[in-house]
Amino acid sequence: MRILILNGPNLNLLGTREPNIYGSQDFQSYFEQLKSSFPQVELLYYQSNIEGELIDKLHECGFSYDGIVFNAAAYTHSSIALADAISAITSPVIEVHISNTFARESFRHHSYISPVCTGVLVGFGLDGYKLAITSLLTP
Ligand code: DQA
């Protein structure tokens, strides 16, 4: 079982970026927790601030991985190209947002990628990633 955790722009700053919204834990330490929670799963983590690199990663892993947990961050609200990439691949993609985007500015209420994702988890903090992996493991 192989699952890719894919994080978009500014999520490399988790832990220091707006901790009142995103919490104070950095993603690398959370990723270590995830790996110990799912020892039976081969977890790969990739983060990029560049839209094209996220698309390349979806193409690279999206035909062979058992699932992709994707926080596209601000590109969620702007990127038709990411939505097209998700449509093009065969692996199921779960959309995750740490914050409750619906409780924030109206420009965060629309997601270009939700219609082409298998499921969406919004507002559960970092636990959203764990819940997404659990959903991929559930037959
Ligand atoms: C986010 C929500 C987005 O609106 C925002 O641009 C982010 C993070 C979240 O995880 O809550 O960068 O995807």
Side-chain angles (χ1 to χ4, degrees):
M1 186 83 175
R2 278 192 304 178
I3 293 176
L4 167 69
I5 311 284
L6 187 58
N7 271 346
N10 302 305
L11 293 173
N12 54 311
L13 295 181
L14 282 176
T16 50
R17 170 195 184 197
E18 299 178 276
N20 53 317
I21 297 173
Y22 299 112
S24 49
Q25 185 169 11
D26 65 276
F27 199 82
Q28 205 49 54
S29 70
Y30 181 70
F31 185 61
E32 294 307 315
Q33 279 174 237
L34 275 182
K35 284 196 288 189
S36 48
S37 299
F38 300 100
Q40 75 281 29
V41 181
E42 194 184 316
L43 285 175
L44 176 72
Y45 171 54
Y46 183 77
Q47 188 277 332
S48 177
N49 295 320
I50 300 166
E51 189 176 17
E53 288 185 353
L54 296 167
I55 293 169
D56 285 345
K57 205 67 182 172
L58 288 166
H59 292 177
E60 184 189 320
C61 297
F63 295 93
S64 55
Y65 274 58
D66 300 289
I68 297 173
V69 177
F70 189 19
N71 186 343
Y75 288 141
T76 306
H77 318 299
S78 66
S79 179
I80 296 167
L82 281 173
D84 282 351
I86 295 167
S87 295
I89 62 176
T90 53
S91 304
V93 178
I94 311 293
E95 177 182 357
V96 167
H97 297 287
I98 297 162
S99 65
N100 179 357
T101 48
F102 297 101
R104 301 179 63 192
E105 304 94 323
S106 58
F107 64 83
R108 295 185 203 276
H109 298 181
H110 179 259
S111 165
Y112 279 98
I113 70 170
S114 295
V116 292
C117 285
T118 303
V120 182
L121 282 154
V122 176
F124 291 98
L126 288 175
D127 271 350
Y129 294 88
K130 193 174 186 177
L131 294 166
I133 295 168
T134 304
S135 79
L136 288 166
L137 295 178
T138 310

